[in-house]
Amino acid sequence: MHELAIAAALVESVAASAQAAGAARVTRVFLKLGALSGVSKEALLFCYDVATRDTLLEGSQLVIEDVPVTIYCERCRAEAILSGIQGLRCPRCGELSSRLLHGKELEIAGIEIDVIEEAEGER
Amino acid sequence: MTTRYLEIRQGVLSKNDRLAADLRARFAQAGVFVMNVVSSPGAGKTALLERVLRELRAAGWRVAAVVGDLQTDNDARRLARSGALVSQITTDGMCHLEVDLVTDKLAGWDLNALDFLFIENVGNLVCPTWYDLGEDVRAVLLSVAEGEDKPLKYPVMFHSSDIAVITKMDLAEACECDLTAMRENILSVQPAIRIFETSAKTGAGVPVLIEFILQQRAAKLASTSVPPTA
Ligand SMILES: Nc1nc2c(ncn2[C@@H]2O[C@H](COP(=O)(O)OP(=O)(O)O)[C@@H](O)[C@H]2O)c(=O)[nH]1
Ligand SMILES: [Mg+2]
Ligand SMILES: [Zn+2]
């Protein structure tokens, strides 16, 4: 399962951010996942449950936003969203484009955390 | 207890990316040109590197290689026969190299005493895609025996590579490889890629690849204004 290493890196990074923010636990993680990231969504979701065990993220939900491949076509002078990743061809004119605007994202957009309030006695 | 949203906006692999940027800066400082070689298992990474290392050394360049392997040090021993400095990273089942493994391996090395470093990644067309190793050029190898549609099955790896090398050209006819289709498929997932054709068995095409590597190093040195050392 290729995605286990990705899930582990995700958990490590989120846990560090959450800890720095004084979180008691993480409830949701929002991830942007490009079609050309090479990461399988299903596999990542599966690995996530394993990777979050015994961490601040245990029991949290991974919310994935799929980001399609967007290219800029020089000939049409316009952006185009592609339906697949088997060819970076403009759907309007058929020209190949090496200007990729979106699609490689593997990015943590944000996290939802539970924080213990000052009044409850946390420092 | 209150619930709040915390904006992060950070790549999942930002830690590896940061360390890779540090390593890339060290390579630039030392004037070392670095190539990360990826492919499926058996595409001919070791065989091609054996030739490239030998020929660069014969021309007087100071070359080294780091080899990632799941279990064995066979490839490292094959490469060491060229006389180059070679070190082995046994990944113990991990199917790719990450930058900290490479950095650790280089700890005792004097980078200033090197002109070229080749990193043979673990044979795998998926995971190595995600991990920047501080290289100048990522080379993806594809043998004529693997089928023309490989780039379409692994578009992300081909997209992330700077050059593609079609290997085992001496077998092209026997494998009935449609080279035109193979080239088209590579270019369709990465229009900016440069394609080379080599045979590690006959040596055909290897000089063209070496010429490219030498040019790239010269261009790198010129842009980082480190005086050439060889
Ligand atoms: N005929 C031929 N065989 C090759 C060539 N390059 C590699 N091989 C063979 O392919 C097999 C795998 O090569 P190797 O370099 O170990 O691949 P790696 O796993 O990518 O490092 C070995 O048996 C090599 O002898 C080539 O250019 N021509
Ligand atoms: Mg090998
Ligand atoms: Zn167009």
Side-chain angles (χ1 to χ4, degrees):
Chain A
M1 185 78 65
H2 302 302
E3 280 71 12
L4 196 52
I6 297 286
L10 172 65
V11 170
E12 189 187 329
S13 176
V14 168
S17 300
Q19 200 147 34
R25 66 186 195 112
V26 177
T27 49
R28 288 201 283 178
V29 173
F30 299 88
L31 186 78
K32 287 190 175 177
L33 190 63
L36 207 53
S37 68
V39 173
S40 150
K41 184 174 174 174
E42 290 68 35
L44 184 60
L45 285 166
F46 178 81
C47 292
Y48 186 79
D49 286 337
V50 179
T52 51
R53 228 164 267 165
D54 300 322
T55 72
L56 279 181
L57 290 76
E58 181 153 14
S60 66
Q61 185 194 0
L62 179 60
V63 183
I64 297 179
E65 177 194 341
D66 294 302
V67 182
V69 175
T70 306
I71 56 162
Y72 181 82
C73 176
E74 301 283 354
R75 192 191 277 175
C76 300
R77 293 174 186 245
E79 294 180 9
I81 294 177
L82 308 188
S83 54
I85 58 172
Q86 263 73 33
L88 301 182
R89 260 174 218 292
C90 171
R92 271 180 233 100
C93 71
E95 186 89 341
L96 281 171
S97 168
S98 51
R99 280 186 60 184
L100 191 74
L101 303 178
H102 291 291
K104 295 196 79 167
E105 290 82 353
L106 179 53
E107 185 190 304
I108 307 162
I111 59 179
E112 189 183 82
I113 52 177
D114 281 347
V115 186
I116 298 163
E117 282 159 79
E118 310 241 330
E120 288 177 55
E122 181 78 350
R123 243 186 288 173
Chain B
M1 198 83 88
T2 51
T3 299
R4 32 187 212 102
Y5 179 78
L6 189 66
E7 188 172 89
I8 306 269
R9 286 176 156 222
Q10 186 172 282
V12 170
L13 299 172
S14 57
K15 184 174 156 203
N16 187 88
D17 291 345
R18 249 189 337 268
L19 295 173
D22 292 348
L23 189 56
R24 184 170 282 111
R26 276 178 60 201
F27 287 145
Q29 183 86 40
V32 196
F33 183 81
V34 185
M35 190 176 215
N36 178 6
V37 182
V38 298
S39 80
S40 52
K45 296 180 295 300
T46 309
L48 181 63
L49 285 176
E50 281 185 83
R51 277 223 177 237
V52 170
L53 293 179
R54 218 180 318 128
E55 295 195 13
L56 282 173
R57 267 182 60 80
W61 297 98
R62 301 169 302 174
V63 291
V66 171
V67 187
D69 195 297
L70 295 167
Q71 300 293 355
T72 75
D73 66 350
N74 295 344
D75 289 0
R77 279 192 278 115
R78 277 167 66 193
L79 293 181
R81 289 200 304 245
S82 69
L85 177 61
V86 177
S87 191
Q88 157 80 26
I89 300 177
T90 308
T91 60
D92 214 5
M94 194 165 74
C95 54
H96 59 274
L97 289 177
E98 296 187 15
V99 70
D100 49 353
L101 293 175
V102 177
T103 309
D104 287 351
K105 205 31 84 165
L106 298 179
W109 292 17
D110 177 13
L111 294 181
N112 289 301
L114 288 182
D115 300 314
F116 294 94
L117 173 68
F118 294 88
I119 304 172
E120 178 177 338
N121 218 311
V122 182
N124 173 355
L125 282 174
V126 181
C127 307
T129 319
W130 300 316
Y131 299 91
D132 184 356
L133 303 180
E135 71 265 23
D136 297 293
V137 166
R138 182 178 290 185
V140 59
L141 271 48
L142 169 65
S143 80
V144 295
E146 289 175 75
E148 298 83 10
D149 60 350
K150 204 86 190 233
L152 305 182
K153 289 184 179 157
Y154 298 91
V156 181
M157 179 56 90
F158 283 84
H159 181 82
S160 79
S161 298
D162 303 291
I163 68 171
V165 184
I166 302 177
T167 59
K168 308 191 190 181
M169 282 297 288
D170 57 291
L171 302 177
E173 229 166 286
C175 294
E176 297 184 15
C177 175
D178 183 345
L179 284 167
T180 310
M182 191 178 261
R183 288 174 148 273
E184 272 174 13
N185 288 339
I186 295 170
L187 288 170
S188 79
V189 295
Q190 181 45 280
I193 207 165
R194 246 188 94 166
I195 304 177
F196 295 84
E197 295 175 356
T198 61
S199 165
K201 188 167 183 189
T202 68
V206 177
V208 182
L209 179 63
I210 288 184
E211 186 59 36
F212 170 81
I213 293 169
L214 291 175
Q215 275 170 10
Q216 292 290 306
R217 176 171 184 271
K220 172 180 179 172
L221 292 197
S223 70
T224 47
S225 72
V226 174
T229 48

